[in-house]
Amino acid sequence: ADEGMWLPLFVKRLNQADMQKKGLKLTAEEIYSVNSSSLKDAVVQLGGFCTGEFVSSQGLMLTNHHCGYDALQTHSTPQNNILQNGFFAATRAEEKTNPGLFVDILVRMEDITSKVLEGVTPTTPEQERVAIVQQHQKEMADAAKESGRYVAYVRDMFGGNEYYLFVYQRFGDVRLVGAPPEAVGKFGGDTDNWMWPRHTGDFSMFRVYADKDNKPTATPQADNVPYVPKKHLPVSLQGVSEGDFAMVFGFPGRTQRFLPAAGLQMTLDQSNPARIKLRDTRLKLWKEDMEQDPALRLKYASKYASIANYWKYYIGQNEGMKRLKTVDAKKAEEASLDQWIRADQGRVQQYGEALTTINQAYTGLREYNLSANYVNEAAFGTEIVTLASRMMPLYMTLKTTPTDKAAIQKAVEGLKEPVTEYFKDYSSSTDKKVFTALMALYGKDVPQAQLPDVFQTVQKEYGGSWAKYADYVFTNSFLTSEAKVNAFLANPTLAKLEADPGFKTFNSVYLNYTQNILPKMQTLQAGLTRANRLYVAALRAKNTQKVYSPDANSTLRLSYGTVRPYKGRDAVRYDYKTTAQGILEKEDPTNEEFVVPKKELELLKQKDYGRFADKDGNLPVAFITDNDITGGNSGSPVINGRGELIGLAFDGNWEAMTGDLAYDPELKRCINADIRYVLWCIEKLGGARHIVDEMTIVNNGPNPG
Ligand code: ARG
């Protein structure tokens, strides 16, 4: 299909003829409507980072395994390891609460551009524009909240050329219902991650709870009952064929398809190499320790998975940018835009400054960008520095209002839960190794003049050895153990905090960043904001025949396309679906990423597929479509032309890792778990037929398309 993560609000503006030709049978109203129930009511944002969908009238929700991973880890112990073994609640009472986890259900979205820009003209000075826009956004969001009834915020689109209001109900009682064993839900591990062909049962299940009036509660409540959604998706057992219509509804996180060539170049040769190198180091050290100790393996499982996920993403993105010459393509596009602008005085006046300003700003940014990357990925790549940063509100309170006992107590209270959470998954000896290695790289790779003071201390007092300095920090800092942190919190003083070597290290990095690096970058970025806005406006004005979709920004989008194979590279063609046969082919009991649980092996060897077999008698596992998605779409429903669930989107493919920066219709695919494999894992492998029976299973003949 075409590029595009579209705002469902505008589904009527999409090419209806094209959608119908591809197989869509639903009306625009059935897809998005504020007044009657529509597809949008079945799709939720999970925890701000993933997507889920309702599959029963009792609030039962499907999402990916990697979206539920943290919750699964939290409920696991070495003795009762549900992450490893899988788990399906036999009764509602067995469903597990997850304080802090929430889902947002969209009430409505609205184009409020003209209201936000009221009083703004093309000549309004930038600072004034920012103030007006911020004020209007706040007013509109505040009004939409209706005194706390809703969560509401404004997001800009097209680099600040348009503004939209989003109004949600937020449900703070989301309980874990089930998941397959990790060996199924993460089958293939990091080796298969971001790759096709895939054999992963990447799903988990939750249930959203509400009060007796079906209203959201902020936290889990014992007397809550299952939420009754306005709409839940029927589930189709029909299965997919090449060319079938497919629609993906969800909350894509971030794309940067309007990033100028200079920005791409900076990502390619500065940011990504730094991230890859630092994550590579961190992951290796974590893994060494995880392999030594099962308890530690469990503690670090979730952090490891999320750091590894984007480590591989950056590698793939850089490989792809080189192979596809993404920067050159963008340069060519900019050259032609520049020509178009120069051909007309009016255009010169309106957009003339954009490209020059952009290129100058990036030249400036390149001088500081590495520092910013190393603050994020080296200093904050260590856990002790991250914990120290959490002390900032308390630190500021102790410093500015040292006699205000109530304020200090409030800051302490705010730390209690995060500190408990933090130490649940912490090993100071592991962190010490990471600290030693990452900070040494920071000192080596970042321009000397931009290093924080602590590097001089290490040079002068520790002979330049981060190992020696780490000995000192991890022996003397109270930030290395929960008991010591709690002792400090029981009687916090400014002197104690300021003297703590862990906090001192953080503070040195922080002060250097906020005083010497950030202000310079912010000045450059302020200029960029305006230039980017003009650049995007110029592009759209030039290419009037092209309908642009706004970059992803964690708001509800739909993408439509078809089930479709692809050509990966010269002489390599990929089929559009995988089957259980591939699980047996990949199976390797000596490699933890490819272990197949005993029960699954037995069932697959007996070909015990039940009603989930495809028409050739195989068990379908995954399939690909050409829907345009990105991170945050994880868990999104893949819906056929009749609005029935056929799969769960869970990944993208290696050949199109540059997709967040530039879209290539021939290469980019969306990787989905076939819903029949999901149901097989619940019913046959998990023995939880009661969960499948809660769903509305339909059999309406082949998918349209
Ligand atoms: N690449 C997937 C995404 O970002 C996450 C897959 C998780 N699986 C894994 N093996 N780490 O959506």
Side-chain angles (χ1 to χ4, degrees):
D2 263 341
E3 169 168 16
M5 302 176 188
W6 308 101
L7 287 163
L9 164 69
F10 293 138
V11 61
K12 286 198 183 103
R13 288 190 203 163
L14 294 176
N15 187 339
Q16 300 290 321
D18 182 44
M19 292 172 86
Q20 280 155 12
K21 196 182 82 204
K22 289 196 163 82
L24 177 67
K25 303 287 180 209
L26 302 170
T27 64
E29 281 290 297
E30 288 170 311
I31 293 173
Y32 179 89
S33 164
V34 173
N35 302 313
S36 54
S37 85
S38 58
L39 278 186
K40 84 160 198 340
D41 300 308
V43 184
V44 308
Q45 186 169 35
L46 172 64
F49 54 82
C50 274
T51 302
E53 56 277 357
F54 289 120
V55 287
S56 92
S57 61
Q58 295 296 298
L60 187 63
M61 185 192 91
L62 263 174
T63 186
N64 285 153
H65 186 268
H66 71 268
C67 299
Y69 199 87
D70 203 54
L72 285 161
Q73 180 200 312
T74 301
H75 293 293
S76 295
T77 59
Q79 292 73 38
N80 181 23
N81 197 335
I82 65 166
L83 177 64
Q84 188 180 340
N85 306 325
F87 154 80
F88 287 102
T91 63
R92 300 269 156 88
E94 282 183 17
E95 297 175 359
K96 298 174 190 291
T97 57
N98 300 285
L101 190 61
F102 60 87
V103 303
D104 283 344
I105 303 181
L106 187 73
V107 177
R108 63 191 164 90
M109 59 174 78
E110 197 184 325
D111 180 355
I112 57 165
T113 307
S114 60
K115 290 175 196 156
V116 170
L117 294 181
E118 219 167 71
V120 171
T121 71
T123 57
T124 307
E126 196 59 21
Q127 268 190 336
E128 208 175 299
R129 187 190 199 272
V130 170
I132 296 174
V133 164
Q134 278 179 352
Q135 179 62 25
H136 285 163
Q137 289 192 31
K138 186 174 178 325
E139 284 167 13
M140 309 260 338
D142 284 351
K145 284 177 190 158
E146 299 186 18
S147 323
R149 192 166 159 211
Y150 296 126
V151 169
Y153 44 79
V154 178
R155 289 263 197 279
D156 77 275
M157 310 269 168
F158 296 114
N161 285 291
E162 295 178 12
Y163 294 87
Y164 291 77
L165 174 69
F166 295 85
V167 184
Y168 297 94
Q169 279 189 302
R170 174 164 296 181
F171 292 78
D173 190 348
V174 183
R175 303 185 194 173
L176 180 64
V177 173
E182 184 179 12
V184 173
K186 202 184 162 181
F187 184 70
D190 292 322
T191 301
D192 274 9
N193 192 17
W194 300 114
M195 303 261 190
W196 179 255
R198 202 61 162 275
H199 299 84
T200 312
D202 198 342
F203 79 94
S204 63
M205 308 198 79
F206 290 80
R207 191 186 305 279
V208 178
Y209 280 73
D211 71 11
K212 60 177 188 343
D213 299 318
N214 212 32
K215 297 274 184 313
T217 60
T219 54
Q221 300 297 326
D223 55 354
N224 272 355
V225 292
Y227 169 68
V228 179
K230 273 165 74 181
K231 163 108 193 145
H232 70 272
L233 299 175
V235 178
S236 168
L237 292 187
Q238 267 297 318
V240 299
S241 307
E242 186 173 342
D244 287 355
F245 178 85
M247 185 158 69
V248 173
F249 235 112
F251 291 84
R254 188 166 127 99
T255 54
Q256 295 178 286
R257 302 218 176 120
F258 293 103
L259 190 64
L264 291 172
Q265 191 76 52
M266 189 166 91
T267 301
L268 177 69
D269 49 42
Q270 279 194 337
S271 305
N272 281 353
R275 291 163 175 154
I276 294 164
K277 176 176 179 178
L278 293 167
R279 285 184 180 219
D280 201 43
T281 304
R282 178 162 31 148
L283 289 167
K284 278 191 184 123
L285 292 168
W286 277 354
K287 180 139 241 166
E288 265 171 36
D289 285 7
M290 288 165 81
E291 277 166 1
Q292 296 303 311
D293 175 2
L296 192 96
R297 188 194 180 276
L298 201 45
K299 280 183 183 185
Y300 276 70
S302 182
K303 320 188 224 218
Y304 187 94
S306 86
I307 296 303
N309 187 30
Y310 274 81
W311 160 76
K312 194 166 174 185
Y313 170 94
Y314 298 128
I315 293 174
Q317 190 177 66
N318 259 27
E319 271 190 31
M321 282 172 87
K322 287 176 200 158
R323 176 168 33 87
L324 302 170
K325 314 233 181 310
T326 312
V327 180
D328 289 347
K330 199 49 101 61
K331 277 188 184 151
E333 185 186 86
E334 284 169 18
S336 121
L337 183 68
D338 194 45
Q339 250 183 16
W340 176 82
I341 294 173
R342 276 168 209 292
D344 177 288
Q345 258 318 301
R347 292 178 201 154
V348 171
Q349 230 171 35
Q350 229 180 324
Y351 312 116
E353 70 195 86
L355 286 168
T356 319
T357 308
I358 286 172
N359 288 320
Q360 279 169 356
Y362 276 105
T363 304
L365 282 172
R366 287 184 73 96
E367 289 186 36
Y368 301 98
N369 179 49
L370 218 49
S371 268
N373 286 139
Y374 274 75
V375 169
N376 279 330
E377 296 279 343
F380 283 89
T382 73
E383 295 172 85
I384 192 171
V385 171
T386 307
L387 179 62
S389 75
R390 297 254 180 89
M391 299 283 151
M392 267 317 260
L394 176 59
Y395 174 68
M396 292 314 290
T397 312
L398 290 168
K399 202 165 158 156
T400 53
T401 56
T403 55
D404 188 342
K405 288 221 167 73
I408 293 171
Q409 197 47 39
K410 198 173 157 226
V412 168
E413 285 306 319
L415 277 166
K416 285 197 167 149
E417 215 187 276
V419 165
T420 313
E421 284 292 305
Y422 172 91
F423 280 106
K424 253 196 238 158
D425 300 334
Y426 184 66
S427 155
S428 70
S429 61
T430 302
D431 192 30
K432 183 181 168 186
K433 294 183 198 166
V434 172
F435 178 89
T436 307
L438 294 192
M439 294 304 281
L441 287 173
Y442 189 163
K444 231 175 70 199
D445 295 347
V446 168
Q448 283 285 313
Q450 290 181 25
L451 290 177
D453 290 347
V454 64
F455 284 85
Q456 276 184 29
T457 310
V458 173
Q459 196 54 49
K460 282 198 208 117
E461 294 170 29
Y462 297 86
S465 162
W466 276 89
K468 285 196 188 123
Y469 182 68
D471 277 339
Y472 160 70
V473 170
F474 281 79
T475 311
N476 294 292
S477 171
F478 64 71
L479 293 168
T480 54
S481 97
E482 187 171 6
K484 286 183 195 163
V485 172
N486 284 334
F488 166 73
L489 291 179
N491 184 14
T493 66
L494 185 63
K496 259 194 261 178
L497 190 51
E498 279 184 328
D500 185 85
F503 187 78
K504 273 206 304 219
T505 307
F506 153 73
N507 210 25
S508 169
V509 172
Y510 178 77
L511 289 177
N512 178 61
Y513 181 64
T514 51
Q515 293 173 359
N516 305 327
I517 310 294
L518 191 60
K520 306 230 167 62
M521 295 185 81
Q522 276 172 337
T523 308
L524 294 158
Q525 261 146 2
L528 253 187
T529 306
R530 179 182 166 80
N532 273 331
R533 190 172 68 237
L534 296 176
Y535 162 67
V536 175
L539 265 180
R540 293 174 81 196
K542 171 175 181 264
N543 304 320
T544 44
Q545 79 297 345
K546 173 166 174 166
V547 187
Y548 284 92
S549 91
D551 266 322
N553 57 3
S554 293
T555 57
L556 184 62
R557 304 296 178 88
L558 75 82
S559 135
Y560 68 95
T562 54
V563 175
R564 189 175 161 198
Y566 69 105
K567 187 174 164 181
R569 55 183 188 277
D570 193 31
V572 178
R573 275 172 197 286
Y574 287 104
D575 203 351
Y576 69 88
K577 63 172 186 210
T578 60
T579 68
Q581 185 56 36
I583 298 177
L584 298 175
E585 286 170 8
K586 283 180 179 172
E587 192 241 344
D588 178 358
T590 67
N591 179 347
E592 70 160 8
E593 292 185 320
F594 293 95
V595 170
V596 178
K598 203 167 139 268
K599 180 164 179 200
E600 181 169 36
L601 262 185
E602 282 165 12
L603 291 171
L604 294 185
K605 282 183 179 156
Q606 292 156 14
K607 296 198 188 296
D608 187 352
Y609 305 152
R611 53 184 167 144
F612 308 109
D614 67 15
K615 50 186 183 308
D616 305 323
N618 298 316
L619 181 64
V621 173
F623 65 94
I624 48 175
T625 57
D626 58 8
N627 292 84
D628 189 4
I629 67 154
T630 187
N633 266 122
S634 284
S636 288
V638 188
I639 300 167
N640 70 11
R642 286 188 296 263
E644 300 154 359
L645 188 65
I646 54 176
L648 293 188
F650 73 92
D651 211 351
N653 60 319
W654 191 250
E655 295 79 4
M657 293 298 284
T658 51
D660 289 347
L661 306 173
Y663 180 88
D664 185 330
E666 295 311 315
L667 288 180
K668 190 164 153 73
R669 293 296 176 269
C670 167
I671 303 179
N672 315 296
D674 192 301
I675 200 66
R676 294 167 295 174
Y677 184 54
V678 170
L679 299 187
W680 182 86
C681 287
I682 300 171
E683 186 174 309
K684 286 279 181 184
L685 182 63
R689 165 125 200 183
H690 63 286
I691 293 176
V692 177
D693 286 344
E694 224 190 290
M695 304 178 195
T696 309
I697 308 284
V698 293
N699 212 329
N700 292 320
N703 297 317

